[in-house]
Amino acid sequence: MADTAVVEDALSEQQTGLIEQVNPDNLTDEDENTIKNYMAQIDITDSNQIMTYGAATQAKMADFSGKALENVRAKDMGEIGNLLTGVVGELKNIGQEEDRGFFGNLFKKPADKLAAMKAQYDKAEVNVGKIVNSLEDHETRLMKDSATLDKMYDMNLEYYRDLSMQIIAGKRKLKEAEEVTLPALKAKADETGEAADAQAVRDYQEKVERFSKKIVDLELTRTIAMQTAPQIRMIQANDMEMVDKIHSTIVNTIPLWKSQMVIALGIENATQAAKAQRAVSDVTNQMLLQNAEALKTATIETEKESQRGIVDIETLQKTNENLISTFDEVMRIQAEGREKRAAAEEQMIKMEDELKAKLLEVRK
């Protein structure tokens, strides 16, 4: 699995890629044609058009965000964790003898012990088989979700580019309005001195201001699209980590447990055979002692393996680091959002002050 630094670098590259693809100073001919088409549709004098400019793309973004949230809510990672814990529980129960009291355990026959081990193995095998089937279903679902998230990422990129084209077109139209149309209206008002012409200047200034605010609103929506891109990749990374864990359990842990159980049963059979042969002769007795030492070593190794947890502490530490990194990233994004909103608010206040000053100039 990729460590935290690698994941952060990948997310950083994705976010930077979004910005580079819509650099206003490096647009393709296709981008320029798209921007011209948007500019041709803009009529700053039409209040309804100012209000609805870019609204279709914003609506798509809202619908897209709802689907993304639904995709996240549909996942039940807790259930997967419970299943993995269930595997561990079943494996730990193997070899744990039932407490039958002092006299029950004292007179317990070796054959009974072997039969009990086999019964435990059979029961655990059935339970683990059911858990594995559930894990395989979750693995398939997570793989499908990952493919869906790829499509969602592409859709988000498309919305981002469309918003960027509309923003660039809107800013160019604003520049044209402020540097060409508005000065012409002011010149006419100064020349005629008519109240109607002066009012036309004020009306046009107001609509320019409204359209400017609309562009800021579109930029905020584009920021959301930019933030959504790495979030989608983070969800994908979490899904694939869980897929890796499930796959490792199925192909490594379960086969290892089965092989160790076969060894344990073989050792138990060998132990009983050794006890039956112990009375034959001193030579046989010596051989059995050597076998007992070998069996002791094998049993200790088997027990160590069976007691080993399915999840290493290093894995938990890495998971915790990823979680903390996720929180840090979210807080950073939120802080940037607050700073941008504050900057936008200061800019709008500044524009309002400038507009008031201009209106006072016109009245003079």
Side-chain angles (χ1 to χ4, degrees), residues 344-362:
E345 184 177 357
E346 291 178 2
Q347 187 63 30
M348 288 187 283
I349 292 174
K350 180 180 178 181
M351 289 189 290
E352 288 178 0
D353 292 341
E354 292 175 352
L355 178 58
K356 290 177 182 178
K358 282 297 180 181
L359 288 174
L360 291 175
E361 290 179 9
V362 173

Side-chain angles (χ1 to χ4, degrees), residues 141-172:
R141 192 178 310 125
L142 288 172
M143 294 296 290
K144 290 181 180 178
D145 287 348
S146 180
T148 300
L149 287 169
D150 275 331
K151 294 180 181 178
M152 293 175 67
Y153 183 87
D154 293 337
M155 290 173 59
N156 183 68
L157 178 59
E158 180 181 343
Y159 296 152
Y160 180 90
R161 287 185 56 80
D162 193 33
L163 280 170
S164 297
M165 297 301 103
Q166 294 182 69
I167 290 169
I168 294 173
K171 287 185 176 181
R172 289 183 182 180

Side-chain angles (χ1 to χ4, degrees), residues 71 74-77 80 135-149 235-236 238-246:
N71 182 277
K75 293 182 175 65
D76 188 357
M77 294 302 183
I80 297 176
L135 287 173
E136 288 175 341
D137 290 341
H138 280 288
E139 183 181 20
T140 301
R141 192 178 310 125
L142 288 172
M143 294 296 290
K144 290 181 180 178
D145 287 348
S146 180
T148 300
L149 287 169
I235 294 172
Q236 275 188 306
N238 292 337
D239 287 353
M240 296 315 296
E241 284 187 10
M242 190 56 68
V243 168
D244 289 342
K245 188 176 294 295
I246 291 172

Side-chain angles (χ1 to χ4, degrees), residues 118-347:
K118 289 181 177 179
Q120 282 185 322
Y121 175 81
D122 292 339
K123 179 182 176 182
E125 186 174 31
V126 172
N127 292 338
V128 170
K130 293 178 180 178
I131 294 173
V132 168
N133 289 337
S134 297
L135 287 173
E136 288 175 341
D137 290 341
H138 280 288
E139 183 181 20
T140 301
R141 192 178 310 125
L142 288 172
M143 294 296 290
K144 290 181 180 178
D145 287 348
S146 180
T148 300
L149 287 169
D150 275 331
K151 294 180 181 178
M152 293 175 67
Y153 183 87
D154 293 337
M155 290 173 59
N156 183 68
L157 178 59
E158 180 181 343
Y159 296 152
Y160 180 90
R161 287 185 56 80
D162 193 33
L163 280 170
S164 297
M165 297 301 103
Q166 294 182 69
I167 290 169
I168 294 173
K171 287 185 176 181
R172 289 183 182 180
K173 199 70 175 182
L174 275 176
K175 183 177 181 181
E176 178 183 306
E178 292 170 349
E179 296 181 359
V180 179
T181 306
L182 190 57
L185 290 174
K186 288 182 178 179
K188 180 180 179 181
D190 292 340
E191 181 181 351
T192 63
E194 296 289 337
D197 292 334
Q199 185 62 46
V201 173
R202 295 191 186 95
D203 291 345
Y204 193 76
Q205 285 178 325
E206 180 182 352
K207 290 176 180 179
V208 167
E209 175 67 14
R210 285 186 60 198
F211 191 65
S212 176
K213 291 179 180 179
K214 183 64 179 180
I215 297 302
V216 172
D217 190 36
L218 291 179
E219 288 178 325
L220 292 175
T221 304
R222 182 177 63 174
T223 299
I224 294 174
M226 182 187 301
Q227 294 173 350
T228 301
Q231 290 171 354
I232 291 174
R233 291 309 191 205
M234 290 174 69
I235 294 172
Q236 275 188 306
N238 292 337
D239 287 353
M240 296 315 296
E241 284 187 10
M242 190 56 68
V243 168
D244 289 342
K245 188 176 294 295
I246 291 172
H247 188 70
S248 178
T249 298
I250 294 173
V251 302
N252 293 323
T253 304
I254 303 303
L256 178 61
W257 163 69
K258 289 183 177 180
S259 65
Q260 292 301 311
M261 193 60 215
V262 170
I263 293 173
L265 292 173
I267 291 173
E268 186 60 29
N269 278 319
T271 300
Q272 293 184 22
K275 288 179 180 179
Q277 294 294 322
R278 187 171 297 164
V280 175
S281 65
D282 292 339
V283 176
T284 304
N285 186 65
Q286 182 63 35
M287 181 184 65
L288 291 175
L289 287 174
Q290 293 175 354
N291 286 341
E293 288 296 325
L295 291 173
K296 177 182 176 181
T297 301
T299 302
I300 290 174
E301 293 301 320
T302 301
E303 186 62 19
K304 288 181 180 178
E305 190 63 27
S306 67
Q307 292 298 325
R308 182 183 179 185
I310 189 173
V311 179
D312 293 332
I313 188 64
E314 292 79 6
T315 301
L316 292 176
Q317 289 174 342
K318 185 60 64 178
T319 303
N320 193 57
E321 291 174 2
N322 288 341
L323 182 60
I324 292 173
S325 175
T326 299
F327 288 151
D328 290 341
E329 183 68 11
V330 171
M331 289 188 290
R332 183 187 67 75
I333 293 173
Q334 290 176 345
E336 289 180 356
R338 287 194 294 270
E339 291 175 1
K340 290 182 180 180
R341 289 194 297 272
E345 184 177 357
E346 291 178 2
Q347 187 63 30

Side-chain angles (χ1 to χ4, degrees), residues 30-42:
E30 183 180 354
D31 290 338
E32 288 291 351
N33 290 333
T34 301
I35 292 171
K36 289 178 181 179
N37 290 334
Y38 278 128
M39 289 184 65
Q41 300 171 15
I42 299 174

